[in-house]
Amino acid sequence: MTRSADPRAHPDIALPLAQLLAIRLWARQGQRARIHQARQGRLGRQPGLNFRELRLYQAGDEVRHIDWRVTARLGRPHTRLYGEEQEQAHWLLLDLSPAMYFGSGPQLKARLGCELAAALLWQGEKQANTLVCHGVETRSESQRDSLIPLLEALCHHYEAGLDRAPLPHSLAQTLARLSLPHGARLTLISHHQPLDQELCQQLQRLRLRHDIHYWQIRDPLEAALPEQGQLAVQAGRHSGWLAGEDPRFRARYQRAADEQAEACRQQLLPLVTRLYRLDNGATLQRQWQEAGCRLF
């Protein structure tokens, strides 16, 4: 009797450290494109500066730095103040909850999220980076000299999450426990689902003093059904089938998915500085290189 192969070792599931180290070879391409765009004056602010704080508009403030979303929401003009970029700390919060361990194709959303985290860390290698993995064991890892300990932590927490154990606390509770230094930038990587009220409240609180870059990873099955075959689904005690061969059902499914995606986008836009979406059906390198400075 032969022992079955460990599914964790399958190339579509495993996340070796060497894979995250290799990302360095192309991750900085987005940074170079962003610097070029800044020199061309297309970033909306001066290069070398980053968000420091938000306060009420005062006479003499530059009109181009008015935050129109906050102004519209609060009814009084607010100005965004900027400081030197090299002083800004970067906190990266990666969601490794059970919902991230799903993929209808060759990769899990959690693995794509780890690769994205590694790419962003390589891109900002000279910054003061702190990595927080929201999973079975939520821990913070701060960069010392090398990024390798942070990449090792990514591999460790990713593998621990493969067990899909229930989490001891929510993503909103993890956000509430963060001790972000003044003016730090927060990058949050999570799945593509509507936010609950508690998470929205935490983002709204942090948005007043921090730049928040929010990345949502969307699986192709969350956007549309394949044209052939049936998919078994279960919600609680109820189970059924998604009839992919029925064009009318596929059209209703895609329409509902598009409406949910738009509602989620509208929900997040007032709460974050930048909102991005990654396709779990494509490799990170391809999306990174094709999007260039438009996304990064």
Side-chain angles (χ1 to χ4, degrees):
M1 180 177 178
T2 60
R3 180 180 297 181
S4 60
D6 183 1
R8 295 169 185 258
H10 191 282
D12 290 344
I13 296 178
L15 181 68
L17 177 61
Q19 187 171 333
L20 301 185
L21 292 173
I23 288 175
R24 181 181 184 180
L25 299 175
W26 50 261
R28 292 177 177 176
Q29 294 179 12
Q31 177 72 2
R32 289 194 291 270
R34 188 173 64 176
I35 291 172
H36 174 73
Q37 191 180 34
R39 288 173 177 169
Q40 299 299 316
R42 288 177 287 169
L43 284 185
R45 63 172 175 83
Q46 296 178 3
L49 298 180
N50 259 324
F51 175 72
R52 190 174 77 241
E53 66 175 303
L54 183 72
R55 64 160 167 77
L56 284 171
Y57 176 84
Q58 297 178 7
D61 288 348
E62 294 192 50
V63 176
R64 67 194 180 99
H65 287 165
I66 292 177
D67 191 317
W68 296 107
R69 290 177 185 162
V70 175
T71 297
R73 187 170 70 247
L74 301 180
R76 301 177 67 185
H78 282 69
T79 303
R80 296 171 62 80
L81 302 181
Y82 294 93
E84 293 297 325
E85 191 168 51
Q86 61 267 25
E87 299 298 328
Q88 187 183 45
H90 177 217
W91 284 57
L92 195 156
L93 173 56
L94 173 62
D95 180 7
L96 289 178
S97 60
M100 287 285 284
Y101 287 85
F102 169 78
S104 61
Q107 66 183 347
L108 300 174
K109 290 195 284 186
R111 195 178 75 167
L112 182 61
C114 287
E115 292 179 355
L116 172 61
L120 293 171
L121 289 171
W122 282 123
Q123 189 181 65
E125 185 178 3
K126 298 185 183 301
Q127 291 179 303
N129 290 297
T130 298
L131 172 67
V132 182
C133 290
H134 168 70
V136 178
E137 177 187 13
T138 300
R139 293 182 58 184
S140 299
E141 305 278 348
S142 296
Q143 180 181 351
R144 299 291 188 260
D145 298 319
S146 169
L147 281 179
I148 292 180
L150 270 62
L151 302 181
E152 290 175 337
L154 280 174
C155 295
H156 168 75
H157 288 288
Y158 168 80
E159 186 170 347
L162 287 169
D163 294 328
R164 296 175 61 88
L167 301 187
H169 48 265
S170 67
L171 182 59
Q173 291 171 325
T174 296
L175 273 175
R177 296 175 184 179
L178 295 183
S179 300
L180 294 175
H182 182 77
R185 185 176 85 253
L186 173 64
T187 297
L188 201 157
I189 302 171
S190 187
H191 50 76
H192 183 264
Q193 289 184 10
L195 279 60
D196 57 43
Q197 184 178 1
E198 186 182 6
L199 184 53
C200 287
Q201 290 173 345
Q202 290 301 325
L203 289 174
Q204 188 173 30
R205 174 184 65 85
L206 291 167
R207 177 70 170 84
L208 295 176
R209 289 192 171 272
H210 303 279
D211 267 351
I212 302 177
H213 292 196
Y214 200 109
W215 294 81
Q216 287 193 312
I217 300 178
R218 190 187 196 194
D219 191 83
L221 191 57
E222 295 172 317
L225 283 176
E227 295 185 2
Q228 296 180 348
Q230 292 185 333
L231 297 174
V233 294
Q234 184 170 352
R237 297 181 179 179
H238 302 282
S239 59
W241 298 88
L242 296 177
E245 73 279 1
D246 184 344
R248 291 177 299 177
F249 184 85
R250 282 202 319 273
R252 292 198 304 270
Y253 182 98
Q254 184 165 353
R255 185 164 56 250
D258 291 343
E259 290 173 354
Q260 183 190 62
E262 179 59 21
C264 188
R265 189 179 76 90
Q266 293 297 331
Q267 180 188 36
L268 273 170
L269 282 177
L271 303 175
V272 301
T273 311
R274 293 187 181 181
L275 177 62
Y276 308 95
R277 182 183 298 166
L278 276 185
D279 179 8
N280 195 44
T283 66
L284 176 63
Q285 183 177 0
R286 173 185 166 187
Q287 295 180 80
W288 186 280
Q289 293 173 339
E290 288 181 353
C293 55
R294 184 166 54 85
L295 285 183
F296 302 92

